[in-house]
Amino acid sequence: MLATPGIDVWVATASAAGSPYLVPVSLAWVDGRAVIAVARSSLTATNLTTSREARLAVGPTRDVVMIDAALEEVVDVAADAALGSAYVAQADWDPRDDTGYVFLVLRPVRVQAWREANEIPGRTLMRDGAWLTEMEA
Amino acid sequence: MLATPGIDVWVATASAAGSPYLVPVSLAWVDGRAVIAVARSSLTATNLTTSREARLAVGPTRDVVMIDAALEEVVDVAADAALGSAYVAQADWDPRDDTGYVFLVLRPVRVQAWREANEIPGRTLMRDGAWLTEMEA
C-alpha cells in the first residue's frame, strides 16, 4: 500500500522550542524509506533538520499507518537522479525544476497500524527499524 | 463543515524536548472551540498540557482545514455535563464513563483552507483568533 502512486502523507514535526507543525504532502516509498519533497525554507524542513524526527500518518483517520521516522538525508532535488526519478514515478508532481526544494529521506523506526483509534495503538508492524511481520513496502 | 457529526481530526503536538506526536481522534466543535477526548496519560494530553499548542487538520489531504490552536482548558470528562453532552452529540463515542479521560478544549488561533497543498498555504480564514471571512463554525 505504501508504494501506491499518488499517496499523500501527514508529516508532523516539532520546532526546537516545542511548537508542533503538520502538513500533508506527497509520499514516495524508495528503498524502504519515506521520501517527501518540500521547500528547503519550509518549517517542515527546518524542524526536521534540527530534531531529525518526524511522525507520519498514511491513510484515512480510521485505517491508518502511523510511522515514527528519523531523518536520514536531505538531498537537493536536482542532486540525485535515481532518487528524483523514483519520487516522480510515485508522486503526482515533479519538484526537480523548482529551485529551493529538497528531498527529505525518512527512515521508519516504528510502524503501527491503527483502526478506529482513540489514542489506542493497534498492531505494531515495525520496531527499532525491524519489520515484525511480512509487509509490502 | 467543522461541526458535522462523526468528523475526525489529526492532532499534532510536540514534547518539551521537541519530539513530534500525531494522532487521529474524534472532533466536536463546541462554542467555537475544537474539543477532543483523550486519556489524561496520553502523549497528546501530556504534550498539550506542557506546550499549550496544537496543530489540527480536518479533512482529506487535498481539501483540508489546518488549525493552529491553543489549549484553553483540560476538563475531566465527568466534570462538565454540558460539554460532555455537546461532545457526545457530535463524536461517535462516549468517553464519559471511561476513567482517566479528559476533554481538551482548543481555541483556534489561525485557520487555513488548503487544497492540493505542497507546503503552499492557501486561504487564511482566521488570524489571531478572528475570522477573516464568513464561515459556518
Side-chain angles (χ1 to χ4, degrees):
Chain A
M1 179 193 89
L2 291 174
T4 308
I7 288 278
D8 292 332
V9 59
W10 294 100
V11 181
T13 56
S15 73
S19 280
Y21 196 58
L22 177 64
V23 286
V25 292
S26 296
L27 171 68
W29 198 254
V30 183
D31 295 335
R33 303 295 184 261
V35 180
I36 63 172
V38 296
R40 186 184 288 277
S41 62
S42 66
L43 264 179
T44 296
T46 305
N47 288 349
L48 259 166
T49 306
T50 307
S51 79
R52 320 287 296 181
E53 300 180 56
R55 184 161 161 92
L56 314 177
V58 182
T61 50
R62 302 199 180 199
D63 184 8
V64 65
V65 177
M66 305 296 306
I67 303 171
D68 291 303
L71 179 65
E72 192 168 79
E73 256 190 310
V74 180
V75 184
D76 189 275
V77 286
D80 183 332
L83 181 61
S85 304
Y87 179 85
V88 170
Q90 289 179 53
D92 58 357
W93 71 302
D94 186 345
R96 288 174 298 182
D97 295 330
D98 291 343
T99 45
Y101 271 72
V102 289
F103 291 123
L104 302 180
V105 180
L106 302 165
R107 180 173 47 79
V109 176
R110 189 176 66 159
V111 177
Q112 294 182 304
W114 284 13
R115 281 172 189 272
E116 297 285 320
N118 284 296
E119 293 265 318
I120 298 157
R123 198 156 60 112
T124 298
L125 305 177
M126 171 184 278
R127 191 179 298 134
D128 300 330
W131 291 107
L132 303 178
T133 178
E134 294 294 322
M135 188 179 167
E136 192 185 328
Chain B
M1 180 194 88
L2 292 174
T4 308
I7 288 277
D8 292 332
V9 59
W10 294 99
V11 181
T13 57
S15 73
S19 281
Y21 196 58
L22 176 64
V23 286
V25 292
S26 296
L27 171 68
W29 199 255
V30 183
D31 294 335
R33 303 294 185 261
V35 180
I36 62 172
V38 296
R40 186 185 286 277
S41 61
S42 66
L43 264 177
T44 297
T46 305
N47 288 348
L48 259 166
T49 306
T50 307
S51 78
R52 320 284 301 180
E53 300 181 56
R55 185 161 161 91
L56 314 177
V58 182
T61 51
R62 301 198 180 201
D63 185 10
V64 64
V65 177
M66 304 296 307
I67 304 171
D68 291 303
L71 179 65
E72 194 168 78
E73 255 191 308
V74 179
V75 184
D76 188 275
V77 286
D80 183 332
L83 181 60
S85 304
Y87 179 86
V88 169
Q90 290 180 52
D92 58 358
W93 72 302
D94 186 345
R96 289 174 297 180
D97 295 328
D98 292 342
T99 45
Y101 271 72
V102 289
F103 291 123
L104 302 180
V105 179
L106 301 164
R107 180 174 47 80
V109 176
R110 189 177 66 158
V111 177
Q112 294 181 305
W114 284 13
R115 281 173 188 270
E116 297 285 321
N118 285 296
E119 294 265 317
I120 299 157
R123 197 157 60 113
T124 297
L125 305 178
M126 171 183 278
R127 190 180 297 134
D128 300 330
W131 292 107
L132 303 177
T133 177
E134 293 293 322
M135 188 179 168
E136 191 185 329

